[in-house]
Amino acid sequence: MASSSAYPTEDPVITVKQEHQTGDSIITLKHQHQTGDSIITVKHEHETGDCIITVKKQQHQTREDSFITVKIKEATGRVTGFRVKRDEPLQRLMTMWREQYGFADYERVRFVFNGRRINDDKNKTVNDIGLKDGDSILAMLVQMGD
C-alpha cells in the first residue's frame, strides 16, 4: 500500500505498564503520521476503579514553524525585526540587537515583554516566555546618573 498523509508512517506502538505503588494500569497507543502523532492513553485506577482516557494530537513542527519574527521597539519609535528560532536562548536575540545599535554594555539596555523584564531570562527561549510570531519586545535605555 502506498504511503500518504492519511495513513500512518509507522505501525502503531502500544505500551502497557502497571504502576507498582498504586496498582494502576496504563495502556498507551502512539500512532505516528506525517503531520503529527496521535497518542491515546487509557488509565485504569486500581483504587477507584475509574477508567480515564486521554487523547492528544501533537503536530510535527515543520522547518518553517521553528522560526518566528520578533520585533524590538525603542522609545524613539524605531522598530527592528528579527527572525529567530523558537528554541534559541533570548540572550542571542538581545545580543544581536545590542551589537546592531552599538550598545556593548549589557546593563545599559532593559528588555521588557508583557510588562516583565526579560534581561534575567537570557537562558530561556522564545517559547519559554510565550513569544508568538509578530510579538514585540520593548528596549529601554537605562539612565545613568553621576
Side-chain angles (χ1 to χ4, degrees), residues 3-143:
S3 179
S4 75
S5 62
Y7 297 100
T9 56
E10 294 182 20
D11 290 336
V13 176
I14 299 173
T15 57
V16 178
K17 135 177 131 168
Q18 178 128 19
E19 294 181 350
H20 295 287
Q21 293 176 345
T22 62
D24 296 348
S25 301
I26 301 172
I27 301 170
T28 304
L29 168 69
K30 184 174 183 178
H31 208 174
Q32 294 183 324
H33 297 268
Q34 290 175 347
T35 58
D37 298 338
S38 297
I39 302 171
I40 301 171
T41 304
V42 179
K43 180 178 182 180
H44 179 260
E45 293 183 346
H46 178 73
E47 191 174 296
T48 63
D50 292 341
C51 187
I52 301 167
I53 300 172
T54 57
V55 178
K56 292 182 186 174
K57 195 154 178 74
Q58 298 173 327
Q59 296 289 357
H60 289 292
Q61 275 192 341
T62 64
R63 186 172 169 89
E64 193 60 33
D65 288 341
S66 63
F67 288 90
I68 65 169
T69 300
V70 177
K71 298 175 205 155
I72 297 185
K73 293 182 178 181
E74 296 176 57
T76 62
R78 180 170 52 183
V79 178
T80 309
F82 293 90
R83 185 175 155 103
V84 295
K85 289 184 179 180
R86 293 177 184 273
D87 59 355
E88 219 170 82
L90 288 168
Q91 167 95 30
R92 181 163 159 74
L93 174 63
M94 292 184 280
T95 300
M96 286 189 304
W97 184 87
R98 281 195 325 274
E99 287 176 355
Q100 183 168 340
Y101 294 109
F103 293 101
D105 184 7
Y106 183 75
E107 293 300 316
R108 289 265 323 183
V109 181
R110 298 282 186 258
F111 294 94
V112 177
F113 175 66
N114 279 348
R116 201 176 118 245
R117 250 182 79 180
I118 60 172
N119 290 55
D120 299 331
D121 296 337
K122 58 187 170 197
N123 292 323
K124 290 189 177 180
T125 66
V126 167
N127 277 347
D128 291 339
I129 67 164
L131 275 166
K132 305 277 187 265
D133 191 42
D135 279 351
S136 296
I137 294 173
L138 181 60
M140 300 185 302
L141 294 179
V142 176
Q143 297 296 320

